[in-house]
Amino acid sequence: MPDPELTSLERTALYKSLGNPLRRRILDYLGRHGEANSTVLARELGESSGTTSYHLRKLAEQHLIEEIPEKSGGRERWWRALPFSHTAPDPATMRPEEYAAAEGVARLRIEMDTELYLRAHKEYAGPEGWSQVQRSGNWMTRDELVDFVREYRALLDRYGHPREDAPEGARQVYLRFYAVPDAVGEWESEPAGP
């Protein structure tokens, strides 16, 4: 897991790795399948093994994946994803190159999240099914919102499992959360403040 006290330069490098579409696909594959080598990834992702090998090394430099020593030997190296959690700093504190790299990650994620959103609607089979869709709105203070997000993360920890500890019948589930307050401005001809 990357150090939470990363410098701006280190965060920029991390965001560039996460914003690379092929590296994102490699991380997704490792997340779903647990492990792979460059040959497996080349076959599954339609790339050359030299290309996947290069990107695997770059992901390892970012501490996003690690080699599996007991499976690796000679030139054949097997890899697995590492647990990852990162909270970006306030964009106002970012250097321009860091912000640009973070924006690249955001754009890639938006594409992925849009596909997941459409799938969730298509596969929704009622409130007891695997695919769930929830939208809501509420009034909160900023402190209440921060507390809500903290409790949301605690819920994820409570109900989620690392791949290796998942109980039988568990599937990888993609969850997305965002909270956005109403825009500051006028609403129905009445002034709205922060």
Side-chain angles (χ1 to χ4, degrees), residues 18-118:
L18 293 174
N20 180 291
L22 179 54
R23 291 181 194 170
R24 182 77 255 159
R25 290 171 57 214
I26 289 171
L27 289 171
D28 288 345
Y29 184 90
L30 291 174
R32 283 193 318 275
H33 300 281
E35 57 188 41
N37 63 21
S38 61
T39 305
V40 168
L41 287 166
R43 182 184 68 238
E44 294 297 319
L45 304 179
E47 301 287 340
S48 73
S49 60
T51 298
T52 55
S53 180
Y54 169 80
H55 287 287
L56 285 164
R57 288 192 306 276
K58 291 299 180 184
L59 289 167
E61 288 173 13
Q62 293 293 319
H63 307 289
L64 297 169
I65 66 171
E66 69 180 359
E67 187 176 351
I68 306 171
E70 59 273 16
K71 287 196 77 170
S72 299
R75 296 185 68 191
E76 184 176 347
R77 299 171 76 185
W78 284 79
W79 302 89
R80 65 181 155 225
L82 290 170
F84 176 76
S85 178
H86 174 74
T87 302
D90 178 351
T93 67
M94 293 181 175
R95 298 172 63 175
E97 59 274 9
E98 179 183 356
Y99 184 82
E103 189 174 43
V105 173
R107 290 187 187 286
L108 181 62
R109 287 181 176 162
I110 287 168
E111 292 173 20
M112 296 166 54
D113 291 350
T114 300
E115 289 176 24
L116 287 174
Y117 181 77
L118 294 172

